[in-house]
Amino acid sequence: MSHVLLAALLVASSTAAAQTPVPDGGTPSAAPQESAPAGATSPAAPAAPTSEGVSREELEQRLEATRQELREDIRAQTATQAVANNDWQEEWTEEKRKLELFTLDGYLRVRPTLFYNFALGKAPLPAGTPLGRQLWTRSPRPGEKTQAGANMRFRLDPSFNVSEDVRIKAQVDALDNVLLGSNPDSAYSGDGRNNFTIFSENQSPTTSAINAFKDSVVVRRAYGEVTTPVGILRFGRMGSQWGLGMLRNDGNCLDCDYGDTVDRIQFVTEPFAGWYVTPMLDFNSEGLSTAKANAQGEPVDLTQSDDAHSLVLAIARRDTEQQQKAKLDNNQGILNYGLYFTYRTQRYATLGETGVPFTDVNPTIPVNVTAPTFVPRGATLYIPDLWFLYAERKFRIEAEFAAQLGSIDGRALAANDSTTQSLRVAQFGGVLKSDFHVIENKLHLGVELGFASGDRAPGFGNYPGRQGTGPDGNTAPGDVEGRQYSCDNSGCSDNAIRNFRFNRDYRVDLILWRSILNGVTDAFYVRPSLKYSIAEGFDVYGSVIYSQAFYAQSTPSYISKSLGLEADVGARYVTEDGFVAGIDYGILFPLDGLKDFGLPAQKLSTAHAIRGTLAIRF
């Protein structure tokens, strides 16, 4: 306040100095001026000196410099007070939103990779072996063990700020995970210019069904966000994230590849300070519709009987990042927790060709589409997901535990499948992470424990759609993947699905779970780790991961639970202007559980991986 008064006095004094004093406090009159002849330029009046011999202009310059210094001092004090009140981020964000109609975030990344011996030294499988038996897609060239290349992605996260309270957000990927060099013009041009690839010097744009599986540009998400006096309304296609990302992960990390995207309407409320209650409605599957043909303009959901919808309620007690930082700086503890509960149902499933007889715009030309087959599904899922966080300046503990419980009354997966057996769903998974700051801002030690339930069904079950080597497509001893129940036309010998699956963007290691098995399931792992900060923005880190299946029958060996011991090390350099460079190396020592069925004396060899990262964030 003293600075404000002083500034006001200085402003008043500068105004007084610029005026001619008159008696009795009257208003000064303008000095009379002589008129100049036409076309002549009036000479500049000399600066009137003050009583101290300083010109009026110089005095005004000094006063203006003093006022500017005081303004900066006042702003600094105001900012300090705002930080103490934890309001600075909100004020800055609101002011920025007022000024910027369009904001753009995102990144460009290039990831060189080298994989060596991911088949673990096993002999190739005979031709025609079902995919469920395959551990890794090896090189078609006999004897080759190295697979190397580089891929890229350009991600844009634009936000259109219609007003302070209304926003439209989107996520657009360009050249998403495109393998560098995978679209040479010689392969798909069709003009005959280059019949030898060696002469190709140009990459063609990726086009779905022509030279790639997807187009160069893909719009992943688009949704509206409206701030109201009682909460925030969001609607559209958006990312889904909860807790550690073990089950629901939006894939927004720099090294992520998948990401959960949901069609949702949600409303975020804060009934009490720090408490958030969010009801949500998810459109998981609308089944039969005119959306693909789009013959009638606006798509129509033809029947509600085959829809799969979710009612979701999230309740959380959590601090913002700024509040967490303020508490830690003041040596206070952080306690956050929450529940994310999903109720999902589906009465029928549509099998076979989608579509029903309909008449085109021209009624004289009827167009018939194959009628679909409806089978009773009667599916219900209850999915509770608990999250917990406690942190102090020296350590941090975070945990997530989830379950998927329910039933499927009819398991038919094909139009000609008349089976009506029911299935039970009982899956559990969890993660516990702890970090200890041995040397603050320097040395960090961590321990992570994770588990995903399973059963004695052969195979892990990350890809139940892959055909097993058993009868009727069921899995058999030695299979790596396949469905985790066993049924045929006569009945089910195993009617339970018990294998919980981690989200594929929840990364545990570099080789076993990330690349070979593609997600934690039917097993547990222990992961001690460390990170050391050499300098600001430059870190080195390492971890050791031991993995073991809950049941030996789930492993390729069918007789051993132990899967592997992996060691990963890496370094990362990050600058303030968004440049990221990193390199990681991993080595996997496969254990007996990864041996082939019926070959207990099989010798497995180590697998190696090198992953690089070059990226720019903005």
Side-chain angles (χ1 to χ4, degrees):
M1 177 63 75
S2 59
H3 293 292
V4 177
L5 293 175
L6 182 56
L9 291 174
L10 287 172
V11 172
S13 63
S14 64
T15 304
Q19 295 177 339
T20 303
V22 295
D24 302 325
T27 302
S29 59
Q33 297 182 357
E34 296 182 0
S35 59
T41 303
S42 300
T50 64
S51 59
E52 297 180 359
V54 181
S55 68
R56 181 174 300 166
E57 286 78 2
E58 185 176 354
L59 176 60
E60 290 179 352
Q61 291 176 359
R62 291 182 182 181
L63 290 173
E64 179 60 29
T66 304
R67 286 196 296 270
Q68 183 63 27
E69 183 179 352
L70 288 172
R71 290 191 194 103
E72 294 177 356
D73 192 12
I74 293 169
R75 289 193 190 103
Q77 288 193 8
T78 304
T80 303
Q81 294 172 359
V83 170
N85 294 330
N86 299 320
D87 293 333
W88 68 273
Q89 181 68 22
E90 289 78 3
E91 293 179 0
W92 180 86
T93 303
E94 288 300 321
E95 185 64 25
K96 182 179 180 181
R97 188 169 294 149
K98 292 177 184 177
L99 299 176
E100 297 185 21
L101 173 64
F102 175 78
T103 58
L104 185 62
D105 299 313
Y107 61 78
L108 170 70
R109 76 180 184 196
V110 173
R111 300 183 300 182
T113 59
L114 186 148
F115 302 154
Y116 178 77
N117 194 37
F118 273 23
L120 306 180
K122 296 183 177 184
L125 295 172
T129 302
L131 194 59
R133 200 78 167 192
Q134 185 171 278
L135 182 68
W136 176 256
T137 303
R138 62 177 70 230
S139 168
R141 296 284 299 171
E144 283 191 355
K145 296 183 178 182
T146 301
Q147 297 168 308
N151 59 82
M152 68 173 295
R153 171 192 280 172
F154 182 34
R155 170 162 289 182
L156 301 174
D157 292 303
S159 178
F160 300 87
N161 301 311
V162 180
S163 69
E164 296 180 17
D165 299 324
V166 179
R167 297 164 292 280
I168 299 175
K169 297 186 177 183
Q171 185 173 91
V172 180
D173 283 344
L175 303 177
D176 183 23
N177 278 354
V178 168
L179 186 68
L180 299 189
S182 61
N183 306 113
D185 56 359
S186 60
Y188 307 101
S189 64
D191 61 3
R193 177 173 174 80
N194 292 322
N195 57 344
F196 292 103
T197 306
I198 192 67
F199 293 112
S200 177
E201 296 183 359
N202 180 52
Q203 295 294 314
S204 301
T206 58
T207 304
S208 177
I210 296 180
N211 64 347
F213 290 107
K214 53 188 173 183
D215 291 328
S216 298
V217 178
V218 178
V219 179
R220 290 191 176 274
R221 299 165 186 171
Y223 63 96
E225 185 177 274
V226 181
T227 302
T228 72
V230 294
I232 299 176
L233 173 67
R234 295 190 180 103
F235 51 93
R237 181 165 292 186
M238 63 192 74
S240 179
Q241 173 80 26
W242 174 258
L244 288 166
M246 175 194 71
L247 183 59
R248 294 171 179 84
N249 195 309
D250 59 14
N252 282 336
C253 72
L254 186 62
D255 196 32
C256 289
D257 290 303
Y258 303 97
D260 292 340
T261 299
V262 295
D263 293 339
R264 169 178 291 173
I265 299 174
Q266 71 176 47
F267 193 76
V268 184
T269 63
E270 189 179 4
F272 309 102
W275 283 89
Y276 298 92
V277 178
T278 308
M280 293 167 262
L281 172 62
D282 287 357
F283 301 84
N284 301 99
S285 175
E286 290 302 292
L288 190 64
S289 71
T290 63
K292 293 183 179 179
N294 201 26
Q296 300 176 9
E298 181 181 4
V300 177
D301 181 12
L302 296 177
T303 174
Q304 277 63 61
S305 61
D306 61 351
D307 296 352
H309 292 163
S310 296
L311 299 176
V312 185
L313 180 64
I315 302 175
R317 166 67 181 93
R318 66 185 308 164
D319 298 311
T320 65
E321 292 184 4
Q322 293 74 30
Q323 290 170 338
Q324 291 185 14
K325 183 179 183 302
K327 287 184 177 181
L328 294 178
D329 290 343
N330 293 325
N331 291 320
Q332 297 178 355
I334 299 171
L335 178 61
N336 291 173
Y337 46 86
L339 168 66
Y340 189 105
F341 183 80
T342 302
Y343 171 69
R344 184 178 303 158
T345 60
Q346 183 185 24
R347 291 186 295 159
Y348 287 85
T350 308
L351 305 178
E353 296 292 331
T354 59
V356 294
F358 68 94
T359 302
D360 203 352
V361 176
N362 186 346
T364 63
I365 308 177
V367 180
N368 293 325
V369 182
T370 305
T373 300
F374 291 93
V375 297
R377 185 65 78 210
T380 303
L381 282 180
Y382 304 89
I383 311 174
D385 192 339
L386 294 167
W387 166 74
F388 169 85
L389 166 68
Y390 182 77
E392 294 186 3
R393 292 190 65 173
K394 290 293 185 179
F395 70 92
R396 177 188 181 97
I397 298 176
E398 192 168 6
E400 184 177 352
F401 178 82
Q404 294 191 350
L405 308 170
S407 61
I408 301 173
D409 292 341
R411 69 169 186 86
L413 294 174
N416 58 355
D417 190 348
S418 60
T419 55
T420 58
Q421 296 99 338
S422 62
L423 302 174
R424 295 183 296 109
V425 180
Q427 306 170 0
F428 304 90
V431 171
L432 174 64
K433 297 181 67 172
S434 60
D435 295 297
F436 303 90
H437 310 310
V438 180
I439 303 176
E440 191 168 1
N441 298 325
K442 279 292 184 180
L443 179 61
H444 303 261
L445 300 179
V447 177
E448 179 178 339
L449 308 174
F451 79 95
S453 64
D455 57 16
R456 290 182 173 82
F460 289 100
N462 262 322
Y463 293 93
R466 294 181 180 178
Q467 183 179 1
T469 59
D472 297 308
N474 293 313
T475 54
D479 285 350
V480 179
E481 285 298 344
R483 61 196 191 198
Q484 293 299 282
Y485 59 90
S486 181
C487 298
D488 54 31
N489 290 333
S490 61
C492 295
S493 58
D494 177 7
N495 72 336
I497 305 175
R498 299 186 180 91
N499 68 301
F500 185 93
R501 296 180 296 178
F502 275 31
N503 192 289
R504 290 176 294 179
D505 270 332
Y506 187 86
R507 300 288 164 72
V508 174
D509 55 21
L510 293 177
I511 302 177
L512 180 62
W513 295 115
R514 173 171 178 170
S515 299
I516 295 179
L517 298 180
N518 226 215
V520 178
T521 186
D522 215 335
F524 71 89
Y525 66 89
V526 181
R527 182 180 180 269
S529 62
L530 64 85
K531 183 179 75 171
Y532 184 77
S533 298
I534 296 178
E536 185 176 358
F538 182 41
D539 300 330
V540 294
Y541 45 84
S543 61
V544 176
I545 307 97
Y546 172 76
S547 302
Q548 178 174 309
F550 281 115
Y551 300 94
Q553 293 87 340
S554 300
T555 69
S557 72
Y558 204 70
I559 59 174
S560 176
K561 299 179 182 179
S562 56
L563 296 175
L565 183 68
E566 181 173 334
D568 300 331
V569 296
R572 175 161 293 196
Y573 175 67
V574 181
T575 66
E576 293 182 356
D577 52 1
F579 174 67
V580 180
I583 187 168
D584 296 273
Y585 168 76
I587 179 171
L588 171 66
F589 300 92
L591 300 179
D592 290 347
L594 293 178
K595 293 181 178 180
D596 286 334
F597 175 65
L599 299 175
Q602 184 181 40
K603 299 295 184 182
L604 301 179
S605 52
T606 57
H608 305 259
I610 298 176
R611 293 181 178 271
T613 301
L614 293 172
I616 299 174
R617 281 179 165 171
F618 55 91

